[in-house]
Amino acid sequence: MRTAFWLAGAAALALANPAFAGDTIKIGFVSTFSGPTAVIGNDMRNSFELALDHLGRKMGGKPVEVIYEDDGQKPDVGKQKTEKLVQSDKVDFLAGYIWSNVLLASLKTAVDSQTFLISANAGPSQLAGELCSQYVFSTSWQNDQTPAAMGLNMNANGVKSVFLIGPNYAAGKDMLAGVKSTFKGEIKGEEYTVWPSQLDFSAELAKARASGAESIFVFYPGAAGAQFLNQYVQAGMKSTMPLYTAFTVDETTLPLQKENAFGVPGAQEWVNDLPNEQNKKFVADYRTKYPGARPSYYGAQAYDAAQLINSAVVAVGGDTAKKDAMKAEMEKANFKSLRGAFKYGNNHIPIQNFYLQDVVKGAGGELSLKTVATIVTNDQDRFHDKCPMK
């Protein structure tokens, strides 16, 4: 009887006290690991795993367990996977999230459960503004910032008019709005395409040609970016309508775009050749761990997400119940980011530099991205004043 009573009491204590689950640091990572955009999710996972290797697979003295979930690039699936991670797996942190619509669908689950969510890519304007939260941090950018930097570059190049093309979802709308926020020339037209199923852009290219614009700006990540660029070149427009981009040419798409990507500038907050020591080590170790592959900005942001989480866990000695202390530590951005030093705004979106990038061919004939210039320094998103956090 006494033994049975003790066992019953111990069982009740285990159910009431989650401390037993605190022997590891549990991270739920939501991204896309299937379909035509799986290359992005795989690069993010590869880089997150490399970060864990560099940390000795431990945070705050505790081993790290990562549960990877495939959102299938669908908001409802991403929401379900987020709910599973929070409610069933009881993760300490959520990370990943490529797509703005998936993140927005998953946001309430994270915030209501007071689970820290680190977006390693998606940066919808709502997240920077009215939907900002003490439990949500970004290791990327707000969507508008990168295309806004490209708009500044277009001004510097004397571009007088542009035709805008992008996908019809949250990020696509933010991206084109970002260009319009800084570009001083004339917008000759803008087209939004079905996302993510549309991969034929002949109608949009015809409209751009007929508009009389001297240039095109486009935002298409992943497979759509490869398709758009190749169709643009095949249509014979490269010599007549210069193309400016955001998130369309990167290390995941270059193997498909090949020489078509020459002379097509892009903007980004991280490029593989940034000359800080931690970035040099990241790029070299990535190529060693994953032969034949090169890291992209998606991966760099995922690597930084792991480092940000680690900084919080170390600050509380592995006691993830100390949420206020972890939040305060993450707000310091007290880790060695691959992009170099940055700081957080009041909305937990980085204040950082953006660079002009271009495609170059290495001595071995491989294509890669090179930093050409710094477009803007210490850039802060334009929605931070709508965030109620001060």
Side-chain angles (χ1 to χ4, degrees), residues 150-159 182-185:
M150 182 49 70
L152 293 173
N153 179 68
M154 292 163 68
N155 293 338
N157 286 339
V159 178
T182 57
F183 180 61
K184 295 180 179 179

Side-chain angles (χ1 to χ4, degrees), residues 10-345:
L13 182 62
L15 290 172
N17 186 355
F20 290 98
D23 294 338
T24 63
I25 303 300
K26 253 187 183 181
I27 302 171
F29 196 102
V30 179
S31 194
T32 305
F33 302 116
S34 61
T37 55
V39 63
I40 298 174
N42 291 335
D43 181 54
M44 293 173 74
R45 177 168 53 192
N46 288 349
S47 300
F48 201 81
E49 286 291 312
L50 179 59
L52 295 180
D53 289 350
H54 287 170
L55 294 169
R57 315 293 299 186
K58 289 186 176 182
M59 294 181 179
K62 295 181 177 181
V64 178
E65 176 186 357
V66 185
I67 304 169
Y68 292 99
E69 294 287 354
D70 182 4
D71 59 31
Q73 203 175 341
K74 298 176 181 177
D76 57 335
V77 175
K79 179 175 181 289
Q80 291 167 8
K81 296 299 179 70
T82 301
E83 289 172 347
K84 172 206 174 264
L85 290 167
V86 169
Q87 297 166 8
S88 300
D89 298 315
K90 301 189 183 305
V91 297
D92 300 299
F93 297 89
L94 292 162
Y97 298 94
I98 301 174
W99 314 108
S100 291
N101 51 357
V102 173
L103 177 56
L104 288 171
S106 306
L107 192 61
K108 189 175 188 299
T109 299
V111 173
D112 287 355
S113 65
Q114 299 182 1
T115 304
F116 285 111
L117 186 156
I118 317 300
S119 174
N121 193 67
S125 53
Q126 299 94 323
L127 188 70
E130 64 271 17
L131 293 183
C132 69
S133 168
Q134 63 179 321
Y135 297 106
V136 181
F137 286 78
S138 166
T139 53
S140 55
W141 21 252
Q142 190 277 316
N143 287 338
D144 295 47
Q145 287 183 281
T146 308
M150 182 49 70
L152 293 173
N153 179 68
M154 292 163 68
N155 293 338
N157 286 339
V159 178
K160 301 301 182 185
S161 62
V162 67
F163 191 92
L164 309 177
I165 306 175
N168 190 17
Y169 81 114
K173 294 174 183 176
D174 282 346
M175 297 291 170
L176 300 197
V179 176
K180 290 188 285 186
S181 73
T182 57
F183 180 61
K184 295 180 179 179
E186 182 182 359
I187 308 295
K188 291 283 193 176
E190 56 188 290
E191 285 290 316
Y192 294 90
T193 60
V194 178
W195 180 257
S197 59
Q198 181 175 337
L199 294 176
D200 179 358
F201 305 106
S202 55
E204 287 72 30
L205 287 167
K207 289 180 181 179
R209 194 199 303 266
S211 72
E214 67 178 86
S215 66
I216 301 174
F217 173 88
V218 66
F219 159 69
Y220 282 113
Q227 289 283 86
F228 182 91
L229 180 58
N230 293 340
Q231 291 172 24
Y232 160 81
V233 173
Q234 290 164 8
M237 299 175 71
K238 193 172 184 179
S239 60
T240 58
M241 294 185 74
L243 182 64
Y244 297 87
T245 69
F247 309 104
T248 300
V249 178
D250 62 59
E251 303 288 0
T252 71
T253 59
L254 268 177
L256 297 174
Q257 295 163 330
K258 299 183 173 64
E259 284 79 5
N260 285 346
F262 283 137
V264 179
Q268 198 48 265
E269 99 291 8
W270 176 88
V271 189
N272 60 82
D273 63 351
L274 291 181
N276 61 73
E277 290 306 313
Q278 59 268 22
N279 190 53
K280 292 178 182 178
K281 178 175 175 57
F282 164 69
V283 173
D285 289 356
Y286 186 104
R287 301 197 69 182
T288 298
K289 186 176 175 70
Y290 309 107
R294 298 178 65 91
S296 73
Y297 68 89
Y298 298 106
Q301 293 159 183
Y303 184 98
D304 276 1
Q307 298 289 348
L308 177 66
I309 292 170
N310 178 65
S311 71
V313 175
V314 169
V316 297
D319 185 356
T320 55
K322 295 180 177 178
K323 292 184 182 292
D324 287 345
M326 289 197 296
K327 168 183 170 289
E329 182 64 23
M330 285 192 285
E331 287 177 336
K332 298 175 186 176
N334 188 24
F335 67 97
K336 291 183 177 180
S337 169
L338 300 180
R339 76 204 71 183
F342 77 90
K343 61 182 179 180
Y344 276 118

